[in-house]
Amino acid sequence: MPAEHMADAGDPRAVPAPARAPEPPGASRVLDRIDRAILRLLQADGRASIRSVAERVHVSRANAYARIARMVEDNVIRGFTARVDHERAGQGASAYITLKIVQNSWRSVRGQLLELPGVEHIALVSGEFDVLMLVHTVDNRALRELVLNRIQGIPEVLGTNTLLVFDETDRTPVLPD
């Protein structure tokens, strides 16, 4: 056995165990069965109380709270929101819009798109276009204004294609056990 493992703590020759480096923020940790069960419960009901979650996954409230806090800190849980029926909420027009943009302008374009009203989702994608976004507006007139003036007015946007949404169905992703 190496000497450093045999020396006792008071021995000046003792080599301290290397300190574990803290995980960088957002580093992904492996989710266990209980974490995945908590995620499934929160996906089904984001308003579930810690007590209810703890009871349903058979852990203490402190354990459930710590697990949820860790998943929030690690950005596994990116937030808690209400799922909205856009038509009933007064946003009767929805569309997916594809954009071709100037090469290497993604960060700038994303920042400008995030400032626009009604933008729900933006993704940098591969294929014949560069960006795919989902928008909701009050009506087709507002959609036309958004696309023709606001989006096409961004200098790095080279072209757009608008796909009207006639009906939509949201599905909550199901995590594996």
Side-chain angles (χ1 to χ4, degrees):
M1 185 176 239
E4 66 263 19
H5 291 289
M6 294 182 355
D8 86 24
D11 187 334
R13 297 174 299 146
V15 176
R20 284 183 60 188
E23 291 189 37
S28 73
R29 300 177 195 171
V30 177
L31 301 179
D32 65 15
R33 176 183 56 79
I34 294 170
D35 291 332
R36 288 189 303 274
I38 290 170
L39 286 174
R40 279 191 298 278
L41 288 170
L42 292 175
Q43 282 181 301
D45 180 6
R47 294 175 15 154
S49 68
I50 296 288
R51 178 180 175 187
S52 156
V53 169
E55 288 172 358
R56 292 170 67 185
V57 298
H58 309 291
V59 297
S60 70
R61 284 185 297 200
N63 188 331
Y65 180 84
R67 286 171 178 270
I68 292 169
R70 186 193 78 234
M71 288 188 282
V72 168
E73 180 181 315
D74 290 348
N75 286 322
V76 172
I77 297 174
R78 296 185 304 185
F80 297 88
T81 64
R83 291 175 41 201
V84 175
D85 180 319
H86 294 282
E87 194 168 351
R88 288 181 180 213
Q91 296 178 308
S94 297
Y96 284 96
I97 304 169
T98 64
L99 289 71
K100 284 188 179 273
I101 61 174
V102 172
Q103 188 173 5
N104 296 322
S105 65
W106 164 242
R107 285 179 183 83
S108 169
V109 170
R110 177 182 52 195
Q112 293 173 75
L113 294 173
L114 287 170
E115 297 294 320
L116 299 176
V119 173
E120 182 165 320
H121 181 84
I122 305 170
L124 178 66
V125 297
S126 65
E128 75 181 75
F129 47 84
D130 304 305
V131 177
L132 175 66
M133 57 189 295
L134 174 61
V135 300
H136 302 284
T137 61
V138 172
D139 55 23
N140 283 342
R141 181 176 302 202
L143 178 60
R144 183 178 64 231
E145 160 66 21
L146 179 67
V147 174
L148 297 180
N149 295 328
R150 305 287 301 271
I151 295 172
Q152 290 181 0
I154 297 172
E156 298 92 348
V157 173
L158 302 174
T160 64
N161 186 24
T162 303
L163 305 157
L164 292 177
V165 174
F166 297 125
D167 191 20
E168 39 184 344
T169 303
D170 289 335
R171 182 174 183 262
T172 301
V174 178
L175 294 171
D177 286 333

